[in-house]
Amino acid sequence: MEQFKGKSILKGIAIGRILFYSKNQQQVKREKIADVEQETARYDKAKAVAIEQLGALYDKAFAEVGETNAMIFKVHAMMLEDEDYNDSVYNIIRNDGVNAEYAVATTGDNFAMMFAQMEDEYFKARAADVKDISERVIGALQGRSSDGSLGEEPVIVVAEDLAPSETVQMDKSKLLAFVTRLGSSNSHTAILARTMNIPALIGIEIHEEWNGKMAVVDGRDGTLYVDPDISVLERFMEEKKKEEEAKELLQALKGQPDVTLDGHSVKLYANIGSVADVAAVLANDAAGIGLFRSEFLYLEKDHYPTEEEQFQVYKTVAQNMAGKKVIIRTLDIGADKQVDYFEMEHEENPAMGYRAIRICLDQIEVFKTQLRALYRASAYGTISIMFPMIISVKEVQEIKRIVEEVKAQLTADGIEFGEVELGIMIETPAAVMISDLLAKEVDFFSIGTNDLTQYTLAIDRQNPKLDSIYDAHHTAVLRMIEMVIENGHKGNCWVGICGELGADITLTEKFVKMGLDELSVSPSFVLPIRKKIREMRFK
């Protein structure tokens, strides 16, 4: 048994096998094999797995983004059935006596080169498709697909580091825990771990040979056990059972109002990053969605999401929430959330650079596409929109002007939309200091404590060396929060918190007594926060 110490992102215990996640393209080696018929059978089995995966992806995409956008997965499945493609794989295996992975990789390269050299643009585009299907089959041969799924059994993902764009593509139902060497406790991958309610450790010296080994992640004290002894495994299995029993006790709070002992009500919402997260929101009985991070729609694609793609996602979330409030944050990329096709220039200090609303007000057509999709979806539920990284009244007024243009165009097109509240993120000291002026322009404030803490304390929250002095409880941060609440209420704005600090149970009573109207937290924190609210007095 080996034991390693790191820093915990979320308390809890995970027990399972390790999957070592590599960012590199799947490595393929040329190996001689003795039984060519057995190897062709391996290929046939892997191809069947790939086709099954594509079918599942088609169904998922059809439900989330519509039939037109889902068709690519049917096209890929048809390409895998192509006679010329399969004959090439079989011939390389049989004639050269080599492994299926090498035969598929060689065929993929050859076909991709052939397509790329064609003059017709349609066929040129098939070069990327044939590479994609080849990677998928190789992944199936190696026991891992190329789309972020993690095999049949849930696993503990171990990696050097994980970008938001990588974690968002993983099959959340197959994730037991994250363990990384790099990263910080305030990174977006850490936030995702908390949203999913899975243990995560950072700062662990990792080793590729761990792949497939049994492990225990103890998120309570930040320890990873690799190849644990039977006695250690049994102890953690018993402790995990007690953990599950404690969670079950919280289930009795479902359906109960979020109200203090003396009758003061607080809205308790949940933060999400995808349509799939809505299930966790409903399962944990949140009153609504206080933050839908729409940037993940952009992070998981290799192109600008179309209006229709976005509309289908927003509509699905609104319909699934059945009239409960859904607050969607407009595109918030930049800093650690980079999207290749935006082709943004390198910045020395991206956290304070070209990001979030600054991109939207610069690339107005991208912004209008998202706003059109949001307003169209508002006809199917209760949608509110909030805008990130605000520093001035002028920005808000420009946003409202663009919104009115979008509404006028939708009306002219005969497209219905609902009543939409407009709000802003308060996450810069500038927004805090002019919150009395901003309150006159919008319907609500949502305090983003992650960035507000970063900018107030001049501490890069992505820098693990500064974790020890990153203090979200700093008096300056808490005073700013109180100031925003007071100014918001004076201007008839309701005020909430959607940052990670909202889930800090040690501050729940303080926030409620400050007069906070809403707390939006990771779904798994809804019931523990409800318990705290119902045990306290407002006055």
Side-chain angles (χ1 to χ4, degrees):
M1 180 178 76
E2 295 179 283
Q3 189 173 330
F4 304 87
K5 198 76 171 177
K7 181 168 183 178
S8 176
I9 298 301
L10 182 73
K11 293 180 179 179
I13 298 168
I15 302 170
R17 295 200 178 277
I18 288 173
L19 174 71
F20 194 93
Y21 180 87
S22 173
K23 293 175 184 289
N24 299 326
Q25 201 174 43
Q26 296 166 108
Q27 297 298 308
V28 175
K29 293 180 180 178
R30 187 179 192 275
E31 298 175 1
K32 280 286 185 181
I33 48 99
D35 189 336
V36 295
E37 294 309 316
Q38 186 179 46
E39 200 65 12
T40 57
R42 262 189 84 226
Y43 167 67
D44 288 337
K45 185 177 179 181
K47 183 180 73 172
V49 169
I51 290 172
E52 185 179 347
Q53 289 171 355
L54 289 164
L57 283 171
Y58 172 82
D59 292 339
K60 184 173 185 290
F62 184 92
E64 293 183 3
V65 296
E67 183 178 11
T68 302
N69 297 298
M71 278 304 296
I72 184 62
F73 299 116
K74 280 200 170 180
V75 171
H76 281 197
M78 290 168 62
M79 291 175 76
L80 274 178
E81 299 283 17
D82 180 75
E83 188 175 344
D84 292 334
Y85 181 92
N86 284 287
D87 283 348
S88 173
V89 175
Y90 293 138
N91 287 338
I92 293 171
I93 292 173
R94 288 174 176 142
N95 295 338
D96 297 350
V98 294
N99 55 317
E101 289 92 336
Y102 180 79
V104 172
T106 302
T107 297
D109 288 345
N110 291 343
F111 273 63
M113 188 181 300
M114 177 181 68
F115 281 125
Q117 291 172 349
M118 292 183 178
E119 292 185 8
D120 187 283
E121 289 300 320
Y122 174 83
F123 286 108
K124 275 188 176 181
R126 302 286 73 76
D129 291 330
V130 79
K131 275 187 167 293
D132 192 32
I133 64 168
S134 300
E135 277 293 307
R136 184 176 295 282
V137 176
I138 292 167
L141 285 163
Q142 295 181 338
R144 177 169 67 179
S145 77
S146 59
D147 64 351
S149 62
L150 304 167
E152 292 302 313
E153 296 300 320
V155 291
I156 295 168
V157 171
V158 172
E160 186 75 6
D161 196 10
L162 289 166
S165 56
E166 292 167 325
T167 52
V168 78
Q169 293 181 67
M170 292 181 178
D171 182 350
K172 298 177 180 64
S173 68
K174 300 292 168 52
L175 277 168
L176 296 173
F178 287 131
V179 177
T180 64
R181 186 178 73 82
L182 302 174
S184 83
S185 57
N186 298 292
S187 69
H188 284 88
T189 298
I191 291 170
L192 180 65
R194 287 191 280 265
T195 299
M196 294 164 57
N197 194 32
I198 61 172
L201 305 181
I202 58 173
I204 299 276
E205 195 63 43
I206 62 172
H207 302 279
E208 194 165 351
E209 58 266 26
W210 290 352
N211 193 52
K213 290 186 176 181
M214 183 62 73
V216 173
V217 172
D218 187 355
R220 299 167 304 178
D221 68 356
T223 306
L224 172 70
Y225 300 84
V226 179
D227 264 346
D229 298 335
I230 293 296
S231 59
V232 171
L233 196 58
E234 288 177 346
R235 173 167 63 86
F236 277 105
M237 289 175 72
E238 183 61 32
E239 290 180 20
K240 185 168 176 58
K241 182 181 176 183
K242 290 177 182 176
E243 241 185 28
E244 296 301 322
E245 289 171 351
K247 286 179 185 176
E248 285 181 18
L249 290 175
L250 287 173
Q251 299 304 302
L253 290 172
K254 285 186 177 181
Q256 297 298 314
D258 301 308
V259 60
T260 64
L261 291 170
D262 51 353
H264 180 76
S265 294
V266 181
K267 296 171 185 172
L268 190 49
Y269 293 168
N271 299 334
I272 67 168
S274 71
V275 173
D277 294 336
V278 174
V281 175
L282 298 175
N284 288 279
D285 197 36
I289 293 172
L291 169 62
F292 180 1
R293 302 180 179 95
S294 70
E295 58 270 19
F296 286 106
L297 286 172
Y298 297 77
L299 286 165
E300 64 188 6
K301 294 188 178 297
D302 59 4
H303 62 272
Y304 291 100
T306 65
E307 179 183 324
E308 188 64 25
E309 285 174 329
Q310 294 188 62
F311 164 67
Q312 291 294 341
V313 170
Y314 304 144
K315 174 187 172 184
T316 300
V317 173
Q319 288 180 324
N320 288 346
M321 290 303 293
K324 292 181 178 179
K325 190 185 291 291
V326 177
I327 303 174
I328 301 176
R329 180 175 69 189
T330 57
L331 174 62
D332 185 13
I333 62 165
D336 67 320
K337 293 177 285 186
Q338 295 293 320
V339 181
D340 290 343
Y341 55 85
F342 272 79
E343 297 181 346
M344 292 188 286
E345 296 177 2
H346 172 74
E347 296 179 292
E348 291 301 321
N349 194 348
M352 294 188 180
Y354 187 62
R355 58 175 295 194
I357 201 64
R358 297 167 182 178
I359 294 174
C360 291
L361 292 179
D362 182 49
Q363 301 188 38
I364 292 178
E365 288 309 311
V366 173
F367 191 32
K368 283 185 174 180
T369 296
Q370 181 170 32
L371 289 172
R372 280 181 60 91
L374 286 165
Y375 269 91
R376 286 174 59 194
S378 70
Y380 297 87
T382 307
I383 285 180
S384 299
I385 304 173
M386 66 179 175
F387 307 96
M389 198 67 180
I390 298 298
I391 62 168
S392 71
V393 171
K394 183 180 177 182
E395 284 174 329
V396 178
Q397 291 173 340
E398 176 65 6
I399 289 165
K400 289 166 69 177
R401 185 191 65 76
I402 295 169
V403 165
E404 289 305 315
E405 284 184 7
V406 167
K407 289 165 65 177
Q409 186 60 59
L410 289 172
T411 301
D413 293 341
I415 297 173
E416 293 184 5
F417 53 89
E419 289 293 323
V420 176
E421 278 190 329
L422 298 181
I424 59 171
M425 297 278 291
I426 303 290
E427 51 191 338
T428 65
V432 172
M433 299 310 294
I434 60 168
S435 53
D436 57 332
L437 303 177
L438 292 169
K440 298 173 184 176
E441 301 289 337
V442 294
D443 299 305
F444 67 93
F445 291 154
S446 189
I447 304 171
T449 55
N450 308 338
D451 272 336
L452 181 60
T453 304
Q454 169 175 243
Y455 297 133
T456 301
L457 304 184
I459 292 174
D460 179 2
R461 65 189 178 98
Q462 304 298 325
N463 189 338
K465 291 182 179 179
L466 303 178
D467 273 358
S468 62
I469 58 172
Y470 180 94
D471 180 14
H473 289 216
H474 195 289
T475 303
V477 175
L478 297 179
R479 284 183 178 177
M480 284 186 164
I481 291 171
E482 190 165 23
M483 181 180 177
V484 171
I485 295 169
E486 289 176 0
N487 284 338
H489 288 169
K490 285 176 185 176
N492 295 317
C493 266
W494 65 263
V495 183
I497 286 179
C498 66
E500 293 297 297
L501 206 57
D504 188 335
I505 291 180
T506 66
L507 288 174
T508 302
E509 186 168 352
K510 189 176 189 69
F511 288 150
V512 172
K513 289 187 173 181
M514 282 181 182
L516 197 74
D517 302 294
E518 176 248 17
L519 284 165
S520 190
V521 298
S522 296
S524 61
F525 285 95
V526 169
L527 294 178
I529 296 292
R530 176 173 295 165
K531 182 173 184 291
K532 182 67 177 179
I533 290 171
R534 291 175 58 82
E535 290 172 347
M536 66 166 282
R537 290 187 179 276
F538 178 57
K539 294 181 180 178

